Structure formats: C-alpha cells, structure tokens
Amino acid sequence: MLLLLNTYPLMVSEDLVFRSKETTLQSNVSVIVYSLSGLDQLTEENVAAAMAVVEEASLSRVLVTNGMGRILYDTRETGGAIGEYGLYTEIVQALLGNDAFTCTYGRGAFRSRASSPVLYRNQIIGAVYVYEYDTEQAALLAGLQGNLLRLSAVIALVVAVLSLLLSKVLTRKIGLLLTAIRQVRAGAYSHRADIRGTDEIAQIAQEFNSLTDRLQTTESARRRFVSDASHELKTPLAAIRLLTDSILQTEDIDPAITREFVSDIGQEAERLARITEDLLRLTQLDSGAMGKPELVDVLPVLEQVMRMMNLVAQEKGVELTYDAAEGCTVLAAKDEIHQVIYNLVDNAVKYSAGGAVQVSLRWHSEQVVLEVADNGAGIPEEDLPRIFQRFYRVDKARSRAAGGTGLGLSIVQDTMEKRGGTVEAANRPGGGAVFTARWPYARGGELS
Ligand code: ADP
C-alpha cells in the first residue's frame, strides 16, 4: 500500500505535466512555424528577421534549421550552434515531415523538446526545434514526493507500533495457555489458564479449563476407584491368608475346624471372583464395548430373573411378586437387561429380609419402566445421591455379609446410560426403597 501511495500519485502527476508540456511546446513551435511561413527558402537573415517578432521568453532554446539540418538560428548567445548541423532526433524527425515531442524528468527538472517541419508549397525547407528546461514544476513534484514519503513514514511507524502491541498481547496470552497446558501435562490437574476476554484465545483457554475440570474429576475418580478396588480385593485375600496360616500353624488341628476354615476360604474366593467379575463388567462398560443393540422384549427376561430369584427370596422369607405388561420392547442386549433386573431385585431381596418385594413392568409415553419396590429399611436420604457410586455402601458390614460388592448399582447405572436410559432410587412413603429404571421404548415389528 505504501509503495502504491509513493508511486501512483507521482506517476499521474508526471504524466499530467508531460501532457501540458506537449501542448504548450507544440503551440510554441506552431507560432514559430507560422511566422516562417511564406518564406520560399530559409536563410540566416530572413529567419533572424522573422524570429525578431516572435515571443519565446519561456523557452530555453530555439533552433531553426534549413532543409539539410544546418542551423540557421539559435537563441543561445554563448556557444550558439549557427552553421553546424543539428542532428537531434527531433530535428531529424521534423526534416522527415513529422511533428516530434519528447519530455524527460530527472535531476530536478523537466526537459521537453518539440519540433515541426517548415513547409513551402508542401516542400520541407527547414525545421523548428524548441527546448524547455523547467525546474519549477519539478520542484513542485519533488515537494509532493517528500510529503508522501513523510506520510508513509508516519503510517509505517503507527502500523509497526500497533502490530508490536497486538502481537505482544497475543503472545502473552498464548504463553499463558502454553504454561497451563504444560503444567497439566506434568500432572498438576488443579492448574487453570487465567486468560480473560472474549477473543478466540480466551475461548480456547475456557475450553481448556473445562477440559481440565473433566480430567481432574476423571483422574480423582480413577484414583479413588483403584484404591477402593485394591482395598476390596485386599480384604478377602487377607482373610484367606489368615485362614491358611491358622490351618498350617495349628498342630493336630481338628478336621471339623479345618473343614470350616476351608469352606470360609472357599467363600472368600467366591467373593473375589464376584468382585473381579463386576470389575471386568465395569471396565467393559467404561471402554464402551457394548454388544450390538437388538430389539428385546423385557417380559421374558423379567420372568427368567423371577424364576431364579424365587428360591433365594423364599430362603430369606421375602415375598416376591411381579406385575408386567406385554409389549415392553427396548433396543439393548438380552444379558444386559438380565443384569439390570437381577441386580435391582437381588438388592431388594437382600435388604428387605422378611418383607415383600414388588416388581412392575410397564410402558408409557415412549418409555419402558421397570419398578422394583421393597418394604425394607430404605436408604438414608443423605446416601441416596451416592449409592450409584462405585463401591459405595450405606452399611458396609451388612452389604459384605449379604455378599455384596458395592458395584451392582454402578453397573446398573452405566448399563442404562449406555442405552439412553436412566435409573433412580427413592424411598417409599410407607418405608422401603424403590428403584425405577427407564429405557427408551422401541417399537418393534415381529420379534425374533
Ligand atoms: P451391594 O453389592 O453392596 O449391594 P450395590 O451397588 O448393589 O452394592 O448397592 C449399593 C448400596 O446401596 C448397598 O450397599 C446398599 O447399602 C444400598 N442399597 C441398594 N439397594 C438397596 C435397597 N433395595 N434397600 C436398601 N438399600 C439398598
């Protein structure tokens, strides 16, 4: 832009000066040619006589030549060229019968030359050549050039300062963001990028911060999970170790006691197997490796779970009943639904010994709803939001005694969410807990 600003106006002005020079010089030449017209032949005397009445003050030099190019008249007093041959291009052009004009600009002046032939009865009898050396217009043009240069310098300075400031602000923000990224990469998950504003970098920083929030939450959940899992695995392992030590270190141990200890070891091993199975299931859910969804009728699955659980319920003196509607179809995998119903019913039976458990299955407003209600002790209100967390138990000892791992409800929740469903827990007004699982209803044609 600056280059254009410094060249274009100058080029235009120069061109304008050239044109005006051409007009004035050509008219000067015409006046001289007119004053020489009527002469049948040019000589130094008659040209000098004719030129005496011509006003040529603004011109630096006027030459008149005869048809051969010999100079007959020269306004230059010292070093005049009368008698010599004028072989300027313009004179040659004029002697060939053409009007000529050239103008150059440089070294602080416009140098313009114009020429025309002098004719007598259509014969070229000579040439008129004028030369003008103009420093006035050149000074004006140089002034304009100087002003443009100064203006350009100011613009360049302002642009440079502004870009410097802008790049400083930008690089400072990017630097802050980079530091934050490096800190978080190094493990400082609580570090945040403190960048204010509404520009793109501030927006990236906000996104980065919320990403780090999630990372921090996930990381602390992961740590808690690993520590809880190792703790859960340690307990049965310690029990096994203790029991085997007792058997090995007691001399003459009573075979009945040995059998009792070995059966305890078996129970602990079973517990370990249950925990690892649940952990595996959760890992699968975390990795998103779900079976391909198919259209499943929930009712047969519910009936299967009920048949399985009836015996357990009877043992615990729990009355297990269900009430189900037909046509409850969802998009999921059969064994997932089995697991969800099983875990909820198993919990209800486990935590309501001697009571009653009612299961209902309905579909309405685009949802399939499974409700498992019991009349046990229920869940303390403050624990309600946490019972779906991994390894969370309201009463640890009771859960362990009942063979629980603390992972059942997490598995239920993860499984439901993976299929676009939900699960929630509440206490019943009359006592006991109620769990409600909702799947999106899938309208199916013929079921396979
Ligand atoms: P657990 O293997 O201990 O049953 P869950 O994840 O299935 O683990 O359940 C978590 C906790 O929620 C249980 O330890 C128990 O305290 C509570 N809970 C679950 N279902 C019921 C219920 N029907 N009644 C009362 N408490 C329940």
Side-chain angles (χ1 to χ4, degrees):
M1 284 297 291
L2 290 181
L3 203 70
L4 206 69
L5 181 70
N6 276 281
T7 51
Y8 187 69
L10 291 176
M11 268 164 56
V12 171
S13 320
E14 220 176 275
D15 197 50
L16 278 175
V17 174
F18 283 177
R19 276 161 205 258
S20 83
K21 292 278 175 221
E22 184 170 11
T23 338
T24 35
L25 257 71
Q26 289 288 13
S27 71
N28 279 325
V29 169
S30 304
V31 169
I32 297 169
V33 168
Y34 180 75
S35 63
L36 296 173
S37 64
L39 301 175
D40 57 349
Q41 179 183 322
L42 300 181
T43 60
E44 279 181 36
E45 293 72 29
N46 65 10
V47 172
M51 289 304 289
V53 292
V54 178
E55 180 68 55
E56 74 241 356
S58 70
L59 299 169
S60 311
R61 193 176 190 187
V62 178
L63 295 177
V64 180
T65 71
N66 65 10
M68 304 299 289
R70 201 166 153 264
I71 296 170
L72 304 172
Y73 175 82
D74 188 351
T75 47
R76 190 175 283 175
E77 273 155 22
T78 47
I82 293 176
E84 291 171 18
Y85 283 91
L87 293 175
Y88 299 128
T89 333
E90 292 78 13
I91 293 179
V92 175
Q93 280 294 324
L95 292 177
L96 288 172
N98 305 315
D99 289 339
F101 172 78
T102 55
C103 184
T104 53
Y105 169 64
R107 285 174 291 152
F110 279 99
R111 293 174 183 77
S112 325
R113 299 165 183 89
S115 66
S116 277
V118 183
L119 302 174
Y120 180 73
R121 290 192 183 156
N122 282 338
Q123 288 289 311
I124 299 167
I125 55 161
V128 173
Y129 165 90
V130 299
Y131 171 69
E132 189 201 65
Y133 181 82
D134 179 5
T135 49
E136 228 171 81
Q137 304 237 32
L140 275 177
L141 205 65
L144 175 67
Q145 197 166 12
N147 283 341
L148 286 177
L149 265 175
R150 275 189 286 280
L151 186 69
S152 307
V154 172
I155 293 176
L157 196 76
V158 170
V159 168
V161 168
L162 277 183
S163 350
L164 208 75
L165 282 179
L166 206 70
S167 71
K168 265 254 150 57
V169 172
L170 281 182
T171 47
R172 193 188 70 87
K173 285 185 174 180
I174 292 174
L176 278 175
L177 192 58
L178 260 178
T179 316
I181 291 173
R182 289 194 183 120
Q183 294 264 7
V184 172
R185 195 190 56 191
Y189 296 111
S190 54
H191 190 89
R192 296 289 178 275
D194 183 19
I195 298 172
R196 267 149 244 205
T198 49
D199 59 6
E200 276 78 3
I201 296 181
Q203 282 177 29
I204 294 176
Q206 276 161 20
E207 290 296 322
F208 169 76
N209 286 345
S210 57
L211 196 73
T212 316
D213 283 345
R214 277 192 64 181
L215 196 67
Q216 194 177 18
T217 316
T218 318
E219 178 60 15
S220 67
R222 188 188 67 84
R223 286 197 183 143
R224 203 179 50 235
F225 180 64
V226 170
S227 109
D228 287 351
S230 6
H231 183 75
E232 290 297 325
L233 293 171
K234 224 168 72 184
T235 319
L237 280 172
I240 291 174
R241 181 90 197 274
L242 198 73
L243 290 163
T244 49
D245 281 357
S246 308
I247 296 170
L248 290 173
Q249 283 162 16
T250 320
E251 279 177 22
D252 303 327
I253 189 165
D254 184 347
I257 292 180
T258 313
R259 181 160 293 118
E260 195 187 314
F261 280 11
V262 172
S263 134
D264 286 349
I265 291 173
Q267 273 176 20
E268 292 300 333
E270 214 173 277
R271 209 172 129 63
L272 275 176
R274 265 200 313 274
I275 296 175
T276 40
E277 205 175 294
D278 281 356
L279 284 175
L280 262 173
R281 178 97 203 130
L282 277 172
T283 319
Q284 266 175 2
L285 285 167
D286 280 349
S287 68
M290 304 284 289
K292 218 175 151 248
E294 45 180 323
L295 199 63
V296 182
D297 187 350
V298 184
L299 182 56
V301 187
L302 174 68
E303 283 169 341
Q304 197 186 358
V305 177
M306 286 302 141
R307 277 195 297 277
M308 264 174 72
M309 288 305 297
N310 251 331
L311 212 68
V312 186
Q314 266 171 28
E315 272 175 19
K316 300 218 164 174
V318 174
E319 187 192 320
L320 179 61
T321 54
Y322 74 95
D323 164 30
E326 293 205 348
C328 296
T329 43
V330 299
L331 270 180
K334 241 185 201 141
D335 58 339
E336 278 168 24
I337 297 172
H338 188 280
Q339 176 120 49
V340 167
I341 304 177
Y342 177 84
N343 283 7
L344 293 179
V345 175
D346 183 49
N347 275 353
V349 171
K350 248 182 352 196
Y351 299 111
S352 64
V357 173
Q358 288 150 3
V359 181
S360 91
L361 179 69
R362 297 260 172 281
W363 65 270
H364 54 77
S365 60
E366 303 298 303
Q367 278 182 336
V368 170
V369 184
L370 172 83
E371 239 176 46
V372 181
D374 63 59
N375 60 358
I379 302 155
E381 287 299 321
E382 66 272 19
D383 290 310
L384 268 178
R386 277 145 70 190
I387 52 168
F388 291 99
Q389 287 173 9
R390 295 172 182 192
F391 295 115
Y392 190 81
R393 294 132 154 163
V394 177
D395 181 346
K396 267 200 164 83
R398 192 168 164 204
S399 155
R400 275 219 187 93
T405 60
L407 294 172
L409 286 181
S410 317
I411 294 177
V412 169
Q413 191 179 44
D414 284 10
T415 313
M416 292 304 293
E417 283 175 357
K418 285 272 147 66
R419 298 296 186 195
T422 57
V423 60
E424 58 200 42
N427 281 315
R428 298 170 76 192
V434 55
F435 285 80
T436 314
R438 294 187 168 87
W439 286 272
Y441 173 70
R443 199 175 303 275
E446 287 287 299
L447 281 181
S448 55

